[in-house]
Amino acid sequence: MKEIEVNGKTIKVNEIVNTVEGRARLDYIGRQAFTSWTLIDQTDRFVFGRPINVEDNDLHKFIL
C-alpha cells in the first residue's frame, strides 16, 4: 500500500487527516509530484466532497 510521510506522520491511502481546508481523505498518491484528496468537511471555499490536488512540496503546509 502506498504511503507518504508529512510532518512526521505516515499517511496511507484512504486515511483521513486534518488539513488547512478541513478534514480530508487521501485518495491517490501519484507518480509525479501530486496527491489527490477529497475534502470531508464543508469549509468556506469548498463544497462537501470536492476533490483537490496538492503538490507534494506543499503537503507540509496543507496537513496540520
Side-chain angles (χ1 to χ4, degrees):
M1 176 176 274
K2 285 190 166 187
E3 57 187 36
I4 54 174
E5 186 166 329
V6 183
N7 298 336
K9 302 177 197 172
T10 301
I11 303 166
K12 298 178 181 175
V13 171
N14 292 325
E15 198 165 327
I16 296 172
V17 298
N18 291 318
T19 73
V20 295
E21 301 292 350
R23 291 187 316 141
R25 182 183 68 236
L26 177 58
D27 291 326
Y28 178 73
I29 299 170
R31 292 183 185 180
Q32 298 179 354
F34 287 93
T35 54
S36 296
W37 303 79
T38 297
L39 293 170
I40 303 299
D41 297 328
Q42 186 168 345
T43 66
D44 292 340
R45 295 186 294 167
F46 295 106
V47 177
F48 174 85
R50 177 177 173 175
I52 57 173
N53 288 318
V54 180
E55 285 192 53
D56 291 348
N57 293 337
D58 295 327
L59 281 173
H60 69 284
K61 298 176 186 173
F62 177 68
I63 297 173
L64 300 177

